[in-house]
Amino acid sequence: MASSLTKASADPSAEKTFFGHPRGLATLFMTEMWERFSYYGMRALLVYYLVSGGADAATGSQGGGLAMTAATTTAIYSVYVSMVYLMAMPGGWFGDRVWGARKTVAIAGFVIMAGHLSLAVPGQAMFFVGLILVAAGSGLLKANISTMVGHLYDGPEDPRRDGGFTLFYVGINLGAFVAPLVVGTVGKEHNWHLGFALAALGMGLGLTQFLLGTKHLSPKSSVVPNPLSAQERKAVLTKLVFAVLGVAVFYGAVVALGAYTLNWALVPLTLAGLFIPIAVLARIKRDKDLSGAEQSKMTAYIWFFIAAAVFWMIYDQGGSTLSLFADDKTAGTMFGFDFSATWYQSLNPLFVMALAPVFAWLWLWLARKNQEPNTIVKFAMGLVLIGASFFVFIVPMGMATGDTKVSPMWLVSIYMIQTIGELCVSPVGLSVTTKMAPQKYASQMMGVWFLAVTAGDCITSLLSIGGVDLNGTWVIGFQAAAAALAGLAVYTYRKKVQTLMGDVH
């Protein structure tokens, strides 16, 4: 197989291609598209299922949810999203040291599908089992499938490489765009568990596509780059067994004493989501093997990390705080057409697909004129924009009093502003992470970048657990001001940060 791939690289016409790219990209494109379909479909339902109680006889709307408060719902949603990104680090470790990228993605697909099927079974216990499985599987898959895209090309200098990742990114957003329209509508408007089952079907289609198309992937995807030795494997298994037994004994005692509440699960996960990113950054920063230049870059990177955490803290409330407002306070009709509140979750991927090429062209055009903003300024712009989106949010919140419902265009505008902010932060953050990573941690730093999402979502969860009403106007205003001030601080200290970055621009 390796020889055929080498031949194809020399003569692209010798094999079938996917828009001029290696055939394996089609396999990974479809796998990721269906996985994102399942993930975003389930995510579009999550907060509505948690807050839904009994059926409304007046409107005919379904009940059958878990009837939780908005605060608890936001906390669960935020912890869940944070755990998906937290699991990306151990997911990458499994790919590098245990199974290899290809096997890890296949196992992840089965775990995710099992999670969605668990969600399709009524009952609170199966719901939380499903969330755990989907979070774990998504972390395993997220860390490894992008690696396999890179394996399809002849190193970083392959001229097709950037275009391949762009196509792959389209697959992500295509799945994310369609899912709320299909899974969201079926689940919210008809039957919750049928919606979750559709998410499982989507992952099943993606897994089938992956297993049938593995012959088109690079042989490197099956290699375990740094396999555990027998001694290391034994040590890891011993630690894992003791950790599981410790958790089981502790929570068994809490349950036996009759003291267990949901916060016994939420609070430790939230604190872990805050402390682990801090511990990881501190460990890298204190590493004496790093050169002076690498230490300086890590100091600068901490600025970007904190800024990103503030950004994601607000941005990810698009699936919680904004979703609840969409259902309760926003008209579900536009131009005489009725639609489900879950459809708002399709706006971000739609705007990303529409605006990403525009931004790519804009940065190149400005670069040719020597006027492109540097990485620090782009981050500052993203923070100001995410803050501006919540300042805008205050207006419809003030209008939606009593039974008054506001125009859907308010939320459309808010999601558009947030997407523009995302395009200033997310791709730039991925790029700067690879550029500033110390050589010793080159393969781990992408997982560190995802920890910024974990930290941001855990701050939201901690606020909700602490009794802060994130749906309150003053809290929205406070978050908006905090993001705008963070953006201003990053911009004000841009020269200092640029000096710390050394030769990275």
Side-chain angles (χ1 to χ4, degrees):
M1 184 173 180
S3 61
S4 65
L5 283 173
T6 304
K7 180 181 178 183
S9 298
D11 180 12
S13 64
E15 69 167 7
K16 292 182 179 178
T17 63
F18 179 64
F19 294 103
H21 292 269
R23 182 85 175 273
L25 184 61
T27 297
L28 299 176
F29 176 98
M30 296 298 292
T31 302
E32 181 70 350
M33 184 190 77
W34 283 115
E35 187 274 331
R36 292 290 88 182
F37 174 89
S38 71
Y39 174 77
Y40 281 100
M42 182 277 283
R43 210 176 84 159
L45 291 179
L46 188 54
V47 296
Y48 298 129
Y49 177 66
L50 287 169
V51 299
S52 175
D56 189 329
T59 63
S61 64
Q62 66 157 324
L66 299 183
M68 294 184 177
T69 64
T72 302
T73 293
T74 300
I76 292 172
Y77 173 87
S78 300
V79 165
Y80 164 69
V81 174
S82 71
M83 290 302 108
V84 168
Y85 287 92
L86 181 63
M87 290 300 294
M89 284 200 77
W93 182 85
F94 271 98
D96 285 342
R97 308 216 61 191
V98 183
W99 294 322
R102 185 184 304 190
K103 187 175 181 180
T104 303
V105 167
I107 291 171
F110 280 107
V111 172
I112 293 168
M113 187 167 63
H116 289 304
L117 288 173
S118 298
L119 292 169
V121 178
Q124 189 172 116
M126 291 304 293
F127 172 80
F128 285 109
V129 167
L131 280 191
I132 292 168
L133 290 173
V134 174
S138 297
L140 287 170
L141 187 140
K142 179 181 287 292
N144 290 282
I145 195 164
S146 296
T147 300
M148 288 196 292
V149 174
H151 288 163
L152 295 173
Y153 299 95
D154 297 328
E157 303 307 318
D158 191 320
R160 301 172 299 167
R161 186 183 177 93
D162 286 351
F165 273 98
T166 300
L167 274 174
F168 183 69
Y169 194 58
V170 169
I172 292 173
N173 284 284
L174 191 59
F177 168 70
V178 175
L181 305 179
V182 179
V183 177
T185 302
V186 170
K188 185 176 185 301
E189 307 304 330
H190 300 285
N191 185 286
W192 299 115
H193 303 290
L194 180 58
F196 292 132
L198 279 177
L201 175 62
M203 188 65 252
L205 290 171
L207 182 59
T208 302
Q209 168 74 27
F210 181 76
L211 295 175
L212 291 175
T214 51
K215 60 182 177 289
H216 300 299
L217 301 177
S218 168
K220 287 188 290 186
S221 297
S222 298
V223 174
V224 182
N226 183 24
L228 291 171
S229 66
Q231 185 177 0
E232 288 174 320
R233 188 179 293 269
K234 183 179 178 181
V236 168
L237 284 173
T238 301
K239 290 177 183 177
L240 182 62
V241 168
F242 276 108
V244 171
L245 285 175
V247 171
V249 169
F250 176 78
Y251 279 99
V254 171
V255 172
L257 292 170
Y260 182 80
T261 64
L262 189 56
N263 279 350
W264 278 99
L266 292 178
V267 172
L269 288 173
T270 298
L271 293 177
L274 288 173
F275 290 142
I276 289 174
I278 294 171
V280 169
L281 285 171
R283 178 173 63 85
I284 296 174
K285 188 72 180 69
R286 291 200 311 266
D287 193 330
K288 291 182 170 48
D289 290 341
L290 301 189
S291 67
E294 288 177 327
Q295 285 281 2
S296 180
K297 288 176 183 177
M298 280 306 302
T299 301
Y301 187 75
I302 290 171
W303 278 79
F304 291 111
F305 187 93
I306 294 170
V310 173
F311 179 89
W312 296 117
M313 176 187 73
I314 295 178
Y315 179 89
D316 276 343
Q317 289 182 59
S320 55
T321 306
L322 286 175
S323 287
L324 293 172
F325 185 85
D327 195 39
D328 295 337
K329 299 295 185 180
T330 307
T333 303
M334 185 175 242
F335 305 122
F337 178 76
D338 295 332
F339 58 91
S340 172
T342 61
W343 287 26
Y344 288 106
Q345 297 304 302
S346 290
L347 289 173
N348 171 254
L350 176 64
F351 289 146
V352 167
M353 288 188 288
L355 296 176
V358 176
F359 271 73
W361 170 85
L362 177 63
W363 299 142
L364 285 173
W365 180 71
L366 289 173
R368 284 195 295 268
K369 301 179 69 175
N370 202 29
Q371 294 178 352
E372 182 188 7
N374 65 22
T375 300
I376 306 166
V377 174
K378 288 176 183 176
F379 255 75
M381 290 166 58
L383 283 167
V384 170
L385 284 165
I386 201 71
S389 74
F390 262 29
F391 278 127
V392 172
F393 187 26
I394 292 172
V395 179
M397 289 183 78
M399 296 168 60
T401 56
D403 294 330
T404 303
K405 293 197 173 187
V406 300
S407 166
M409 291 308 297
W410 283 106
L411 286 182
V412 172
S413 301
I414 292 167
Y415 280 113
M416 177 175 276
I417 295 169
Q418 292 190 346
T419 302
I420 295 171
E422 178 194 1
L423 291 170
C424 291
V425 169
S426 186
V428 175
L430 290 169
S431 176
V432 81
T433 296
T434 59
K435 290 177 181 178
M436 295 174 66
Q439 186 62 37
K440 182 177 178 179
Y441 297 98
S443 61
Q444 299 178 40
M445 282 300 287
M446 202 55 72
V448 174
W449 168 251
F450 287 137
L451 289 181
V453 185
T454 297
D457 281 307
C458 282
I459 293 171
T460 302
S461 178
L462 198 61
L463 291 171
S464 297
I465 293 169
V468 176
D469 180 13
L470 291 174
N471 301 289
T473 304
W474 76 269
V475 178
I476 297 298
F478 176 80
Q479 292 180 83
L485 288 172
L488 181 61
V490 169
Y491 183 78
T492 302
Y493 288 94
R494 65 191 182 281
K495 292 182 179 179
K496 177 181 178 180
V497 177
Q498 185 62 67
T499 301
L500 292 169
M501 291 170 68
D503 58 354
V504 175
H505 298 285

